[in-house]
Coordinates of all heavy atoms in Angstrom, one line a residue:
M1 N 1.1 -0.4 -63.8 CA 0.8 0.8 -63.2 C 0.7 1.9 -64.2 O 1.5 1.9 -65.1 CB 1.9 1.2 -62.1 CG 1.9 0.3 -60.9 SD 2.9 1.0 -59.7 CE 1.8 0.9 -58.4
D2 N -0.1 2.9 -64.0 CA -0.3 4.0 -64.9 C 0.9 5.0 -64.7 O 1.6 5.0 -63.6 CB -1.5 4.8 -64.6 CG -2.8 4.0 -64.8 OD1 -2.7 2.8 -65.2 OD2 -3.9 4.5 -64.6
A3 N 1.2 5.8 -65.7 CA 2.2 6.8 -65.6 C 1.9 7.8 -64.5 O 2.8 8.4 -63.9 CB 2.4 7.5 -66.9
D4 N 0.6 7.9 -64.2 CA 0.2 8.9 -63.2 C -0.2 8.2 -61.8 O -1.1 8.6 -61.1 CB -1.1 9.7 -63.7 CG -1.3 10.9 -62.9 OD1 -0.4 11.6 -62.5 OD2 -2.5 11.2 -62.7
D5 N 0.6 7.2 -61.5 CA 0.3 6.4 -60.3 C 0.9 7.0 -59.0 O 0.7 6.4 -57.9 CB 0.8 5.0 -60.5 CG 2.4 4.9 -60.6 OD1 3.0 6.0 -60.5 OD2 2.9 3.8 -60.8
G6 N 1.6 8.1 -59.0 CA 2.1 8.7 -57.8 C 3.6 8.3 -57.6 O 4.2 8.9 -56.7
F7 N 4.1 7.3 -58.3 CA 5.5 7.0 -58.1 C 6.3 8.2 -58.5 O 6.2 8.7 -59.6 CB 5.9 5.7 -58.9 CG 7.2 5.2 -58.6 CD1 7.4 4.2 -57.6 CD2 8.3 5.6 -59.3 CE1 8.6 3.7 -57.3 CE2 9.6 5.1 -59.0 CZ 9.7 4.1 -58.0
D8 N 7.3 8.6 -57.7 CA 8.0 9.8 -58.0 C 9.5 9.5 -58.0 O 10.1 9.3 -57.0 CB 7.7 10.9 -56.9 CG 8.2 12.3 -57.3 OD1 9.3 12.4 -57.8 OD2 7.5 13.2 -57.1
E9 N 10.1 9.5 -59.2 CA 11.5 9.2 -59.4 C 12.4 10.3 -58.6 O 13.5 10.0 -58.2 CB 11.9 9.3 -60.9 CG 11.3 8.1 -61.7 CD 12.0 6.8 -61.4 OE1 13.1 6.8 -60.9 OE2 11.4 5.8 -61.8
Q10 N 11.9 11.5 -58.5 CA 12.6 12.6 -57.8 C 12.8 12.3 -56.3 O 13.8 12.7 -55.7 CB 11.9 13.9 -58.0 CG 11.8 14.4 -59.4 CD 13.2 14.7 -60.0 OE1 14.1 15.0 -59.3 NE2 13.3 14.5 -61.3
I11 N 11.8 11.6 -55.7 CA 11.9 11.2 -54.3 C 12.5 9.9 -54.1 O 13.1 9.6 -53.0 CB 10.5 11.3 -53.7 CG1 10.0 12.7 -53.6 CG2 10.4 10.6 -52.3 CD1 8.6 12.8 -53.1
H12 N 12.4 9.0 -55.0 CA 12.7 7.6 -54.8 C 14.2 7.3 -54.4 O 14.5 6.3 -53.8 CB 12.3 6.7 -56.0 CG 12.4 5.3 -55.8 ND1 11.5 4.7 -54.9 CD2 13.2 4.3 -56.2 CE1 11.7 3.4 -54.8 NE2 12.8 3.1 -55.6
A13 N 15.1 8.1 -54.8 CA 16.5 7.9 -54.5 C 16.6 7.8 -52.9 O 16.0 8.6 -52.2 CB 17.4 9.1 -55.0
P14 N 17.4 6.9 -52.4 CA 17.3 6.5 -51.0 C 17.5 7.7 -50.1 O 16.8 7.9 -49.1 CB 18.5 5.5 -50.8 CG 18.6 4.9 -52.2 CD 18.3 6.0 -53.2
T15 N 18.5 8.6 -50.3 CA 18.7 9.7 -49.4 C 17.6 10.7 -49.5 O 17.1 11.2 -48.4 CB 20.1 10.4 -49.7 OG1 21.1 9.4 -49.5 CG2 20.3 11.5 -48.7
R16 N 17.1 11.0 -50.6 CA 15.9 11.9 -50.8 C 14.7 11.3 -50.1 O 14.0 12.0 -49.4 CB 15.6 12.1 -52.3 CG 16.7 12.9 -53.0 CD 16.3 13.1 -54.4 NE 17.3 13.8 -55.1 CZ 17.2 14.3 -56.3 NH1 16.0 14.2 -57.0 NH2 18.2 14.9 -57.0
L17 N 14.5 10.0 -50.2 CA 13.3 9.4 -49.6 C 13.4 9.4 -48.1 O 12.5 9.7 -47.4 CB 13.3 7.9 -50.1 CG 12.1 7.1 -49.6 CD1 10.8 7.7 -50.1 CD2 12.2 5.6 -50.1
R18 N 14.6 9.2 -47.6 CA 14.8 9.3 -46.1 C 14.6 10.7 -45.6 O 14.0 10.9 -44.5 CB 16.2 8.8 -45.8 CG 16.3 7.3 -46.0 CD 17.8 6.7 -45.9 NE 18.2 6.8 -44.5 CZ 19.5 7.0 -44.1 NH1 20.4 7.0 -45.0 NH2 19.8 7.0 -42.8
I19 N 15.1 11.7 -46.3 CA 14.9 13.1 -45.9 C 13.4 13.4 -45.9 O 12.9 14.0 -44.9 CB 15.7 14.1 -46.8 CG1 17.2 13.9 -46.6 CG2 15.2 15.5 -46.6 CD1 18.0 14.7 -47.7
C20 N 12.7 13.1 -46.9 CA 11.3 13.4 -47.0 C 10.6 12.6 -45.9 O 9.6 13.2 -45.3 CB 10.7 13.0 -48.3 SG 11.3 14.1 -49.7
G21 N 11.0 11.4 -45.6 CA 10.3 10.6 -44.5 C 10.5 11.3 -43.2 O 9.6 11.3 -42.3
L22 N 11.7 11.8 -42.9 CA 12.0 12.5 -41.7 C 11.2 13.8 -41.5 O 10.8 14.2 -40.5 CB 13.5 12.7 -41.5 CG 14.3 11.5 -41.2 CD1 15.8 11.9 -41.3 CD2 14.0 11.0 -39.8
L23 N 11.0 14.5 -42.7 CA 10.4 15.8 -42.6 C 8.8 15.7 -42.6 O 8.2 16.6 -42.2 CB 10.8 16.6 -43.8 CG 12.3 17.1 -43.9 CD1 12.6 17.8 -45.2 CD2 12.6 18.0 -42.7
R24 N 8.3 14.6 -43.1 CA 6.9 14.5 -43.3 C 6.1 14.7 -42.0 O 5.1 15.4 -42.0 CB 6.5 13.1 -43.9 CG 5.0 12.9 -44.1 CD 4.4 14.0 -45.0 NE 3.0 13.8 -45.3 CZ 2.1 14.5 -44.6 NH1 2.4 15.3 -43.6 NH2 0.8 14.3 -44.9
P25 N 6.5 14.1 -40.9 CA 5.6 14.2 -39.7 C 5.9 15.5 -38.9 O 5.2 15.7 -37.9 CB 6.0 13.0 -38.8 CG 7.4 12.7 -39.2 CD 7.5 13.0 -40.7
V26 N 6.8 16.3 -39.3 CA 7.2 17.5 -38.6 C 7.0 18.8 -39.4 O 6.9 18.7 -40.7 CB 8.6 17.5 -38.0 CG1 8.8 16.3 -37.1 CG2 9.6 17.4 -39.2
D27 N 6.9 19.9 -38.8 CA 6.8 21.2 -39.5 C 8.1 21.5 -40.2 O 8.1 22.0 -41.3 CB 6.4 22.4 -38.6 CG 4.9 22.2 -38.1 OD1 4.1 21.6 -38.8 OD2 4.6 22.8 -37.0
A28 N 9.2 21.3 -39.5 CA 10.5 21.5 -40.0 C 11.5 20.8 -39.1 O 11.2 20.4 -38.0 CB 10.8 23.0 -40.0
A29 N 12.8 20.7 -39.6 CA 13.8 20.1 -38.9 C 15.1 20.8 -39.1 O 15.3 21.4 -40.2 CB 14.0 18.6 -39.3
E30 N 16.0 20.9 -38.1 CA 17.3 21.5 -38.3 C 18.2 20.7 -39.1 O 18.2 19.4 -39.0 CB 17.9 21.8 -36.9 CG 17.2 22.9 -36.2 CD 18.0 23.4 -35.0 OE1 19.2 23.0 -34.8 OE2 17.5 24.1 -34.2
F31 N 19.0 21.4 -39.9 CA 19.9 20.7 -40.8 C 20.8 19.8 -40.0 O 21.1 18.6 -40.4 CB 20.8 21.8 -41.5 CG 21.8 21.3 -42.5 CD1 21.5 21.1 -43.8 CD2 23.1 21.0 -42.0 CE1 22.5 20.6 -44.7 CE2 24.0 20.5 -42.9 CZ 23.7 20.3 -44.2
A32 N 21.3 20.2 -38.9 CA 22.3 19.4 -38.1 C 21.6 18.1 -37.6 O 22.2 17.1 -37.6 CB 22.7 20.2 -36.9
M33 N 20.3 18.2 -37.3 CA 19.6 17.0 -36.8 C 19.5 16.0 -38.0 O 19.7 14.8 -37.9 CB 18.2 17.3 -36.3 CG 17.4 16.1 -35.8 SD 16.6 15.0 -37.0 CE 15.4 16.0 -37.7
L34 N 19.2 16.5 -39.2 CA 19.1 15.6 -40.4 C 20.5 15.0 -40.7 O 20.6 13.8 -40.9 CB 18.6 16.4 -41.6 CG 17.2 16.9 -41.6 CD1 16.9 17.8 -42.7 CD2 16.2 15.7 -41.6
R35 N 21.5 15.8 -40.6 CA 22.9 15.3 -40.9 C 23.2 14.2 -39.9 O 23.7 13.1 -40.3 CB 23.9 16.4 -40.8 CG 25.3 16.0 -41.1 CD 26.3 17.2 -41.1 NE 26.1 18.2 -40.1 CZ 26.4 18.1 -38.8 NH1 27.0 17.0 -38.4 NH2 26.2 19.1 -38.0
E36 N 23.0 14.4 -38.6 CA 23.3 13.4 -37.6 C 22.4 12.1 -37.8 O 22.9 11.0 -37.7 CB 23.1 14.0 -36.2 CG 24.2 15.0 -35.9 CD 23.9 15.8 -34.6 OE1 23.1 15.3 -33.8 OE2 24.5 16.9 -34.5
T37 N 21.1 12.3 -37.9 CA 20.2 11.2 -38.0 C 20.5 10.3 -39.3 O 20.5 9.1 -39.2 CB 18.8 11.7 -38.1 OG1 18.5 12.4 -36.9 CG2 17.8 10.5 -38.2
L38 N 20.8 11.0 -40.4 CA 21.1 10.2 -41.6 C 22.6 9.8 -41.8 O 22.9 9.1 -42.7 CB 20.7 11.1 -42.8 CG 19.2 11.4 -42.9 CD1 18.9 12.5 -43.9 CD2 18.4 10.2 -43.1
D39 N 23.4 10.3 -40.9 CA 24.8 10.0 -40.9 C 25.4 10.3 -42.3 O 26.1 9.5 -42.9 CB 25.1 8.5 -40.5 CG 26.6 8.3 -40.2 OD1 27.3 9.2 -39.8 OD2 27.0 7.1 -40.5
L40 N 25.2 11.6 -42.7 CA 25.7 12.1 -44.0 C 26.7 13.2 -43.7 O 26.6 13.9 -42.7 CB 24.5 12.6 -44.8 CG 23.5 11.7 -45.3 CD1 22.3 12.4 -45.9 CD2 24.1 10.7 -46.2
S41 N 27.6 13.4 -44.7 CA 28.4 14.6 -44.6 C 27.6 15.8 -44.8 O 26.5 15.8 -45.5 CB 29.6 14.5 -45.6 OG 29.0 14.6 -46.9
E42 N 28.1 16.9 -44.4 CA 27.4 18.2 -44.6 C 27.3 18.5 -46.1 O 26.2 18.9 -46.6 CB 28.2 19.3 -43.9 CG 27.5 20.6 -43.9 CD 28.1 21.6 -42.9 OE1 28.5 21.3 -41.8 OE2 28.2 22.8 -43.4
A43 N 28.3 18.2 -46.9 CA 28.3 18.4 -48.3 C 27.3 17.5 -49.0 O 26.5 18.0 -49.9 CB 29.7 18.2 -48.9
N44 N 27.2 16.3 -48.6 CA 26.3 15.3 -49.2 C 24.8 15.8 -48.9 O 24.0 15.8 -49.8 CB 26.5 13.9 -48.8 CG 25.8 12.9 -49.6 OD1 24.9 13.2 -50.3 ND2 26.1 11.6 -49.4
L45 N 24.6 16.1 -47.7 CA 23.2 16.5 -47.3 C 22.9 17.8 -48.0 O 21.7 18.0 -48.5 CB 23.1 16.7 -45.8 CG 21.7 17.1 -45.2 CD1 20.7 16.1 -45.7 CD2 21.8 17.2 -43.7
S46 N 23.8 18.8 -48.0 CA 23.5 20.1 -48.7 C 23.2 19.9 -50.2 O 22.2 20.5 -50.7 CB 24.8 21.0 -48.6 OG 25.0 21.4 -47.3
K47 N 23.9 19.0 -50.8 CA 23.7 18.7 -52.3 C 22.3 18.1 -52.5 O 21.5 18.5 -53.4 CB 24.7 17.8 -52.8 CG 24.6 17.4 -54.2 CD 25.7 16.5 -54.7 CE 25.4 16.0 -56.1 NZ 26.4 15.0 -56.5
T48 N 21.9 17.2 -51.6 CA 20.6 16.5 -51.7 C 19.5 17.4 -51.4 O 18.5 17.5 -52.1 CB 20.6 15.3 -50.8 OG1 21.7 14.4 -51.1 CG2 19.3 14.5 -51.0
I49 N 19.6 18.3 -50.4 CA 18.6 19.2 -50.1 C 18.5 20.3 -51.2 O 17.4 20.7 -51.5 CB 18.9 19.9 -48.7 CG1 18.6 18.9 -47.6 CG2 18.0 21.2 -48.5 CD1 19.0 19.4 -46.2
R50 N 19.6 20.7 -51.8 CA 19.5 21.6 -52.9 C 18.7 21.0 -54.0 O 17.9 21.7 -54.7 CB 20.9 22.0 -53.3 CG 20.9 23.2 -54.3 CD 22.4 23.6 -54.7 NE 23.3 23.6 -53.6 CZ 24.3 22.8 -53.4 NH1 24.6 21.9 -54.4 NH2 25.1 22.9 -52.4
A51 N 18.9 19.7 -54.3 CA 18.2 19.1 -55.4 C 16.7 19.1 -55.1 O 15.9 19.3 -56.0 CB 18.7 17.7 -55.6
L52 N 16.3 18.8 -53.9 CA 14.9 18.8 -53.5 C 14.3 20.2 -53.5 O 13.1 20.4 -53.8 CB 14.7 18.1 -52.1 CG 14.9 16.6 -52.0 CD1 15.0 16.2 -50.6 CD2 13.8 15.9 -52.7
T53 N 15.1 21.2 -53.2 CA 14.7 22.6 -53.2 C 14.5 23.0 -54.7 O 13.5 23.7 -55.0 CB 15.7 23.5 -52.6 OG1 15.9 23.1 -51.2 CG2 15.3 24.9 -52.6
D54 N 15.4 22.6 -55.5 CA 15.3 23.0 -57.0 C 14.0 22.5 -57.6 O 13.4 23.1 -58.5 CB 16.5 22.5 -57.7 CG 17.8 23.2 -57.4 OD1 17.7 24.3 -56.8 OD2 18.8 22.7 -57.8
I55 N 13.5 21.3 -57.1 CA 12.2 20.8 -57.7 C 11.0 21.2 -56.9 O 9.9 20.8 -57.3 CB 12.3 19.2 -57.9 CG1 12.5 18.6 -56.5 CG2 13.3 18.8 -58.9 CD1 12.4 17.0 -56.6
G56 N 11.2 22.0 -55.9 CA 10.1 22.6 -55.1 C 9.6 21.7 -54.0 O 8.5 22.0 -53.5
Y57 N 10.3 20.7 -53.6 CA 9.8 19.8 -52.6 C 10.1 20.2 -51.2 O 9.5 19.8 -50.2 CB 10.2 18.4 -52.9 CG 9.5 17.7 -54.0 CD1 8.6 18.4 -54.8 CD2 9.8 16.4 -54.4 CE1 7.9 17.7 -55.9 CE2 9.2 15.8 -55.4 CZ 8.3 16.4 -56.2 OH 7.7 15.8 -57.2
V58 N 11.2 20.9 -51.0 CA 11.6 21.4 -49.7 C 11.9 22.9 -49.7 O 12.2 23.5 -50.8 CB 12.8 20.6 -49.0 CG1 12.5 19.2 -48.9 CG2 14.1 20.9 -49.8
R59 N 11.9 23.5 -48.5 CA 12.2 24.9 -48.4 C 13.2 25.0 -47.3 O 13.2 24.3 -46.3 CB 10.9 25.7 -48.0 CG 11.0 26.8 -47.1 CD 9.6 27.5 -46.8 NE 9.2 27.1 -45.5 CZ 8.3 26.2 -45.2 NH1 7.7 25.5 -46.2 NH2 7.9 25.9 -44.0
V60 N 14.2 25.8 -47.5 CA 15.3 26.0 -46.5 C 15.2 27.4 -46.0 O 15.1 28.4 -46.7 CB 16.7 25.8 -47.1 CG1 17.8 26.1 -46.2 CG2 16.8 24.3 -47.6
T61 N 15.3 27.6 -44.6 CA 15.4 28.9 -44.0 C 16.6 29.0 -43.1 O 16.9 28.0 -42.5 CB 14.1 29.2 -43.2 OG1 13.9 28.2 -42.3 CG2 12.9 29.3 -44.2
K62 N 17.1 30.2 -43.0 CA 18.3 30.4 -42.1 C 17.9 31.5 -41.2 O 17.4 32.5 -41.6 CB 19.5 30.7 -42.9 CG 20.0 29.6 -43.8 CD 21.3 29.9 -44.5 CE 21.6 28.7 -45.4 NZ 22.9 28.2 -45.3
A63 N 18.2 31.3 -39.9 CA 17.9 32.4 -39.0 C 18.9 32.4 -37.8 O 19.6 31.4 -37.6 CB 16.5 32.1 -38.4
S64 N 19.1 33.5 -37.2 CA 19.9 33.6 -36.0 C 19.3 32.7 -34.9 O 18.1 32.6 -34.8 CB 20.0 35.0 -35.6 OG 20.6 35.8 -36.6
S65 N 20.2 32.2 -34.1 CA 19.7 31.3 -33.0 C 20.1 32.0 -31.7 O 21.3 32.2 -31.4 CB 20.4 30.0 -33.1 OG 20.1 29.2 -32.0
S66 N 19.1 32.2 -30.9 CA 19.3 32.8 -29.6 C 20.1 31.8 -28.6 O 20.7 32.3 -27.6 CB 18.0 33.2 -28.9 OG 17.2 32.1 -28.8
S67 N 20.0 30.5 -28.9 CA 20.7 29.6 -28.1 C 22.2 29.4 -28.4 O 22.9 28.8 -27.6 CB 20.0 28.2 -28.2 OG 20.2 27.7 -29.6
R68 N 22.6 30.1 -29.4 CA 24.0 30.0 -29.8 C 24.7 31.3 -29.3 O 24.2 32.4 -29.4 CB 24.2 29.9 -31.3 CG 23.8 28.6 -31.8 CD 24.1 28.6 -33.3 NE 24.9 27.4 -33.6 CZ 24.8 26.7 -34.7 NH1 24.0 27.2 -35.7 NH2 25.5 25.7 -35.0
G69 N 26.0 31.1 -28.8 CA 26.7 32.3 -28.4 C 27.5 33.0 -29.5 O 28.1 34.0 -29.3
D70 N 27.5 32.4 -30.7 CA 28.3 33.0 -31.8 C 27.3 33.5 -32.8 O 26.1 33.5 -32.6 CB 29.2 32.0 -32.4 CG 28.5 30.7 -32.9 OD1 27.3 30.7 -33.1 OD2 29.1 29.7 -33.0
Q71 N 27.8 33.9 -33.9 CA 27.0 34.6 -35.0 C 26.5 33.6 -36.0 O 25.8 34.0 -37.0 CB 27.8 35.7 -35.7 CG 28.2 36.8 -34.8 CD 26.9 37.5 -34.2 OE1 26.0 37.8 -35.0 NE2 27.0 37.9 -33.0
R72 N 26.7 32.3 -35.8 CA 26.3 31.3 -36.8 C 24.8 31.3 -36.8 O 24.1 31.5 -35.8 CB 26.8 29.9 -36.5 CG 28.3 29.8 -36.7 CD 28.8 28.5 -36.5 NE 28.6 28.0 -35.1 CZ 28.7 26.8 -34.7 NH1 29.0 25.9 -35.5 NH2 28.5 26.5 -33.4
R73 N 24.3 30.9 -38.0 CA 22.8 30.8 -38.2 C 22.4 29.4 -38.2 O 23.1 28.5 -38.5 CB 22.4 31.5 -39.4 CG 22.7 33.0 -39.4 CD 22.7 33.7 -40.7 NE 21.7 33.3 -41.6 CZ 21.1 34.1 -42.5 NH1 21.4 35.4 -42.5 NH2 20.2 33.6 -43.3
T74 N 21.1 29.1 -37.8 CA 20.5 27.8 -37.8 C 19.8 27.6 -39.1 O 19.1 28.5 -39.6 CB 19.5 27.7 -36.7 OG1 20.2 27.9 -35.4 CG2 18.9 26.3 -36.7
T75 N 20.1 26.5 -39.8 CA 19.4 26.2 -41.0 C 18.3 25.2 -40.8 O 18.5 24.1 -40.1 CB 20.4 25.6 -42.0 OG1 21.5 26.5 -42.3 CG2 19.8 25.2 -43.4
T76 N 17.1 25.5 -41.2 CA 15.9 24.7 -41.0 C 15.4 24.2 -42.4 O 15.4 25.0 -43.3 CB 14.8 25.5 -40.3 OG1 15.4 26.0 -39.0 CG2 13.7 24.6 -39.9
V77 N 15.0 23.0 -42.4 CA 14.5 22.4 -43.7 C 13.1 21.9 -43.5 O 12.8 21.3 -42.4 CB 15.4 21.2 -44.1 CG1 14.9 20.6 -45.4 CG2 16.9 21.6 -44.2
A78 N 12.2 22.2 -44.4 CA 10.8 21.7 -44.3 C 10.3 21.3 -45.7 O 10.7 21.8 -46.7 CB 9.9 22.9 -43.8
L79 N 9.3 20.3 -45.7 CA 8.6 20.0 -46.9 C 7.7 21.1 -47.3 O 7.1 21.7 -46.4 CB 7.8 18.7 -46.7 CG 8.6 17.4 -46.7 CD1 7.6 16.2 -46.4 CD2 9.2 17.1 -48.1
T80 N 7.6 21.4 -48.6 CA 6.6 22.3 -49.1 C 5.3 21.5 -49.2 O 5.3 20.3 -49.2 CB 7.0 22.9 -50.4 OG1 7.1 21.8 -51.4 CG2 8.4 23.6 -50.4
P81 N 4.2 22.2 -49.4 CA 2.9 21.5 -49.7 C 3.1 20.6 -50.9 O 2.6 19.4 -50.8 CB 1.9 22.6 -49.9 CG 2.4 23.8 -49.1 CD 3.9 23.7 -49.2
E82 N 3.8 21.0 -51.9 CA 4.0 20.2 -53.1 C 4.8 19.0 -52.7 O 4.6 17.8 -53.2 CB 4.7 21.0 -54.2 CG 4.9 20.2 -55.4 CD 5.7 21.0 -56.5 OE1 5.9 22.2 -56.4 OE2 6.0 20.4 -57.5
G83 N 5.8 19.1 -51.9 CA 6.7 18.0 -51.4 C 5.9 17.0 -50.6 O 6.1 15.8 -50.7
R84 N 5.0 17.5 -49.7 CA 4.1 16.6 -49.0 C 3.3 15.8 -49.9 O 3.1 14.6 -49.7 CB 3.3 17.4 -48.0 CG 4.0 17.9 -46.8 CD 3.1 18.6 -45.8 NE 3.9 19.2 -44.8 CZ 4.3 18.5 -43.7 NH1 4.0 17.3 -43.5 NH2 5.0 19.2 -42.8
R85 N 2.6 16.4 -50.8 CA 1.8 15.7 -51.8 C 2.6 14.6 -52.5 O 2.1 13.5 -52.7 CB 1.1 16.7 -52.7 CG -0.1 17.4 -52.2 CD -0.9 18.2 -53.2 NE -0.1 19.2 -53.9 CZ 0.1 20.4 -53.4 NH1 -0.4 20.8 -52.3 NH2 0.8 21.3 -54.1
A86 N 3.8 15.1 -53.0 CA 4.6 14.1 -53.8 C 5.0 12.9 -52.9 O 5.0 11.8 -53.4 CB 5.8 14.9 -54.3
F87 N 5.4 13.2 -51.7 CA 5.9 12.1 -50.8 C 4.7 11.2 -50.5 O 4.9 10.0 -50.6 CB 6.5 12.7 -49.5 CG 6.9 11.6 -48.6 CD1 8.1 10.9 -48.8 CD2 6.2 11.3 -47.4 CE1 8.5 9.9 -47.9 CE2 6.6 10.3 -46.6 CZ 7.8 9.6 -46.8
D88 N 3.6 11.8 -50.1 CA 2.4 10.9 -49.8 C 2.0 10.1 -51.0 O 1.7 8.9 -50.9 CB 1.2 11.8 -49.4 CG 1.5 12.4 -48.0 OD1 2.4 12.0 -47.3 OD2 0.7 13.3 -47.7
G89 N 2.0 10.7 -52.2 CA 1.7 9.9 -53.4 C 2.7 8.8 -53.7 O 2.4 7.7 -54.1
H90 N 4.0 9.1 -53.4 CA 5.0 8.1 -53.7 C 4.9 6.9 -52.7 O 5.0 5.8 -53.1 CB 6.4 8.7 -53.5 CG 7.5 7.8 -53.9 ND1 7.8 7.4 -55.2 CD2 8.4 7.2 -53.1 CE1 8.8 6.6 -55.2 NE2 9.2 6.5 -54.0
V91 N 4.6 7.2 -51.4 CA 4.4 6.2 -50.4 C 3.2 5.3 -50.8 O 3.2 4.1 -50.7 CB 4.3 6.8 -49.0 CG1 3.8 5.7 -48.0 CG2 5.6 7.4 -48.6
A92 N 2.1 6.0 -51.2 CA 0.9 5.2 -51.7 C 1.3 4.3 -52.8 O 0.8 3.2 -52.9 CB -0.2 6.2 -52.0
A93 N 2.1 4.8 -53.8 CA 2.4 4.0 -54.9 C 3.3 2.8 -54.5 O 3.1 1.7 -55.0 CB 3.2 4.8 -55.9
L94 N 4.2 3.0 -53.5 CA 5.0 1.9 -53.0 C 4.1 0.9 -52.3 O 4.3 -0.4 -52.5 CB 6.1 2.4 -52.1 CG 7.2 3.2 -52.7 CD1 8.1 3.8 -51.6 CD2 8.0 2.4 -53.7
R95 N 3.1 1.3 -51.6 CA 2.2 0.4 -51.0 C 1.4 -0.4 -52.0 O 1.2 -1.6 -51.8 CB 1.2 1.2 -50.0 CG 1.9 1.6 -48.8 CD 0.9 2.3 -47.8 NE 1.6 2.6 -46.6 CZ 1.5 3.7 -45.9 NH1 0.6 4.7 -46.4 NH2 2.1 3.9 -44.8
R96 N 1.0 0.3 -53.1 CA 0.3 -0.5 -54.1 C 1.2 -1.5 -54.8 O 0.8 -2.7 -55.0 CB -0.2 0.5 -55.2 CG -1.5 1.3 -54.8 CD -2.1 2.0 -55.9 NE -1.2 3.0 -56.6 CZ -1.0 4.2 -56.2 NH1 -1.7 4.7 -55.1 NH2 -0.2 5.0 -56.8
I97 N 2.4 -1.2 -55.0 CA 3.4 -2.1 -55.6 C 3.6 -3.3 -54.6 O 3.5 -4.5 -55.0 CB 4.8 -1.4 -55.8 CG1 4.6 -0.4 -57.0 CG2 5.8 -2.5 -56.1 CD1 5.8 0.5 -57.1
A98 N 3.8 -3.0 -53.3 CA 4.0 -4.1 -52.3 C 2.7 -4.9 -52.2 O 2.8 -6.1 -52.1 CB 4.3 -3.5 -51.0
G99 N 1.5 -4.3 -52.3 CA 0.3 -5.1 -52.3 C 0.2 -6.0 -53.5 O -0.3 -7.1 -53.4
D100 N 0.7 -5.5 -54.7 CA 0.6 -6.3 -55.9 C 1.6 -7.5 -55.8 O 1.3 -8.6 -56.3 CB 1.1 -5.5 -57.1 CG 0.0 -4.5 -57.5 OD1 -1.1 -4.5 -57.0 OD2 0.4 -3.6 -58.3
L101 N 2.7 -7.4 -55.0 CA 3.6 -8.5 -54.8 C 3.0 -9.6 -54.0 O 3.4 -10.7 -54.1 CB 4.9 -7.9 -54.2 CG 5.7 -7.0 -55.0 CD1 6.9 -6.5 -54.2 CD2 6.2 -7.7 -56.3
G102 N 2.1 -9.2 -53.1 CA 1.5 -10.2 -52.2 C 0.4 -11.0 -52.9 O -0.1 -12.0 -52.3
S103 N 0.0 -10.7 -54.1 CA -1.0 -11.4 -54.8 C -0.6 -12.7 -55.3 O 0.5 -12.9 -55.7 CB -1.6 -10.5 -55.9 OG -2.1 -9.3 -55.4

């Protein structure tokens, strides 16, 4: 495979890959839903999302929630356009690898 084959070491780590996979088909997801779905601690998920944010693959927004009776804010996570391209390229690279294994 070429160096420019789309395989992305930044996404390939299992938790990062799972987060990107959950975010890919949606506009955004709430932090709490990601935490519950992935069965991660808040600290572990925060650290992983921060790493994806630092490389420009996800964006985090915080807003007041009208559905909450307290002052806590809702944290929403979304793939950036760059994150979508990187994830799609990585999945395509994995498919090529898997196809090569079938030969």
Side-chain angles (χ1 to χ4, degrees):
M1 294 194 126
D2 297 1
D4 196 36
D5 64 2
F7 190 90
D8 192 319
E9 293 284 343
Q10 298 294 330
I11 289 177
H12 193 68
T15 301
R16 291 180 186 193
L17 184 62
R18 292 172 67 207
I19 290 169
C20 291
L22 286 170
L23 293 175
R24 180 59 179 98
V26 298
D27 290 333
E30 286 191 11
F31 181 91
M33 184 280 297
L34 292 171
R35 182 175 38 80
E36 291 170 19
T37 301
L38 297 170
D39 193 28
L40 296 172
S41 69
E42 192 168 313
N44 192 348
L45 182 57
S46 292
K47 180 180 174 185
T48 305
I49 288 173
R50 190 174 321 112
L52 288 167
T53 300
D54 288 348
I55 59 174
Y57 287 0
V58 301
R59 147 182 102 257
V60 175
T61 56
K62 295 185 183 229
S64 297
S65 174
S66 60
S67 65
R68 289 184 129 147
D70 57 22
Q71 296 297 319
R72 292 184 298 167
R73 296 165 38 146
T74 301
T75 302
T76 304
V77 184
L79 281 176
T80 62
E82 181 181 354
R84 282 183 188 276
R85 282 189 299 277
F87 180 75
D88 291 348
H90 187 70
V91 170
L94 292 175
R95 286 186 175 135
R96 285 191 300 275
I97 291 168
D100 290 346
L101 294 175
S103 300

